[in-house]
């Protein structure tokens, strides 16, 4: 039973355009969400997060949107740059549940075309 | 500052052998996690350490897997009698709080 789903395995975007990566979750207990970026042969790098009390969090070119009623979040990258090409993982946790372990999606490979 | 480090970076072993993977967390981080990522999959939680509290072992897939951590320092993940399905990237993460986890580069384990 996959609790965090990234239904698009890959996405290609032209440089300068917007990249939108989507993530759905099924566990209504999740209340903290994160996006990680991963380059080949490296560990995931934290990108941006959002608490369930918010519906938007912005950091530079990266914005995360959370729609709790739809159990959906998305990551917007504007403008997209070739260096953004990587695998993006959506992750969720239950704050206050003890270990705060992260439940990850399978990832979306973003390719930004120059 | 120094990030999370893991060793070895790559490990090839024969089925049935034991392997030990090491993680050095970021200094001062009280929480330490182990995850694994099998090919084409997301990261799976294995085990969590927080200070001197009893670890959360709920993600360990079998009793062949065990992990230790001394205080708030180094952790080792041991896999006994390795099987081919244990082949994966094993990732360690540390955290100063409950919010953000910082990952190491991982150990790529291949069981032949």
């Amino acid at each position: 039973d996959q609790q965090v789903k990234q239904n698009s395995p890959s996405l290609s975007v032209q440089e300068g355009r917007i990249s939108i990566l989507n993530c759905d979750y099924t566990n209504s207990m999740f209340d903290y969400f994160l996006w990680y970026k991963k380059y080949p042969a490296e560990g995931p790098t934290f990108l941006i997060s959002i608490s369930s009390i918010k519906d938007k969090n912005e950091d530079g070119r990266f914005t995360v949107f959370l729609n709790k009623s739809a159990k959906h979040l998305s990551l917007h990258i504007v403008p997209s740059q070739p260096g953004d090409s990587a695998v993006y993982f959506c992750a969720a946790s239950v704050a206050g549940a003890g270990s705060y372990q992260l439940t990850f999606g399978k990832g979306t490979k973003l390719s930004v075309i120059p | 500052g120094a990030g999370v480090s893991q060793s070895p970076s790559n490990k090839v072993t024969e089925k049935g052998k034991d392997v030990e993977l090491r993680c050095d967390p970021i200094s001062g981080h009280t929480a330490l996690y182990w995850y694994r990522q099998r090919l084409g999959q997301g990261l799976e939680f294995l085990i969590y350490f927080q200070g001197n509290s009893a670890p959360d072992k709920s993600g360990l897939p079998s009793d062949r897997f065990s992990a230790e951590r001394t205080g708030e320092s180094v952790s080792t993940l041991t896999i006994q009698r390795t099987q081919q399905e244990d082949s994966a990237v094993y990732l360690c993460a540390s955290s100063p709080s409950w919010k953000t986890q910082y990952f190491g580069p991982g150990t790529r384990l291949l069981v032949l």
Side-chain angles (χ1 to χ4, degrees):
Chain A
D1 176 32
Q2 205 178 342
Q3 298 186 63
V4 177
K5 299 178 184 178
Q6 294 177 256
N7 292 318
S8 297
S10 62
L11 175 68
S12 289
V13 173
Q14 289 286 336
E15 180 179 4
R17 306 294 287 266
I18 183 171
S19 295
I20 300 176
L21 296 102
N22 293 303
C23 178
D24 297 292
Y25 61 96
T26 57
N27 187 344
S28 57
M29 298 295 291
F30 287 143
D31 55 7
Y32 194 70
F33 303 89
L34 308 90
W35 284 94
Y36 282 83
K37 179 168 79 170
K38 186 180 184 301
Y39 293 117
E42 295 184 11
T45 303
F46 170 73
L47 201 54
I48 192 169
S49 62
I50 188 167
S51 166
S52 61
I53 62 173
K54 295 186 174 181
D55 55 19
K56 177 183 175 181
N57 188 26
E58 192 172 351
D59 184 1
R61 296 185 298 114
F62 303 92
T63 303
V64 56
F65 295 92
L66 175 62
N67 182 335
K68 282 198 302 181
S69 61
K71 294 191 178 67
H72 177 83
L73 65 155
S74 60
L75 174 68
H76 292 209
I77 306 173
V78 183
S80 302
Q81 300 174 353
D84 296 330
S85 297
V87 177
Y88 288 77
F89 289 97
C90 170
S93 70
V94 180
S99 68
Y100 311 116
Q101 61 179 266
L102 294 175
T103 301
F104 284 84
K106 291 187 178 182
T108 296
K109 183 176 182 180
L110 174 66
S111 299
V112 180
I113 304 162
Chain B
V4 177
S5 60
Q6 293 185 244
S7 61
S9 54
N10 293 282
K11 177 72 177 178
V12 181
T13 190
E14 293 179 349
K15 178 181 173 181
K17 295 283 180 70
D18 298 351
V19 295
E20 189 173 278
L21 313 179
R22 177 187 168 106
C23 171
D24 284 270
I26 295 171
S27 177
H29 283 193
T30 57
L32 186 146
Y33 302 77
W34 284 97
Y35 293 84
R36 75 174 175 183
Q37 184 183 17
R38 289 189 278 193
L39 193 64
Q41 303 297 313
L43 281 72
E44 303 170 67
F45 166 77
L46 296 177
I47 189 169
Y48 159 75
F49 295 91
Q50 172 66 52
N52 293 318
S53 302
D56 176 355
K57 303 180 182 180
S58 61
L60 294 179
S62 77
D63 59 7
R64 297 186 295 104
F65 287 72
S66 62
E68 292 183 350
R69 186 186 188 193
T70 307
E72 295 183 356
S73 61
V74 171
S75 175
T76 54
L77 176 70
T78 302
I79 309 173
Q80 296 178 308
R81 305 181 303 281
T82 52
Q83 304 294 312
Q84 288 180 332
E85 62 262 28
D86 299 334
S87 296
V89 178
Y90 289 82
L91 290 150
C92 174
S94 70
S95 176
S97 70
W98 63 271
K99 288 193 173 182
T100 304
Q101 297 175 26
Y102 298 88
F103 284 83
T107 294
R108 285 148 195 80
L109 174 66
L110 177 61
V111 182
L112 300 176

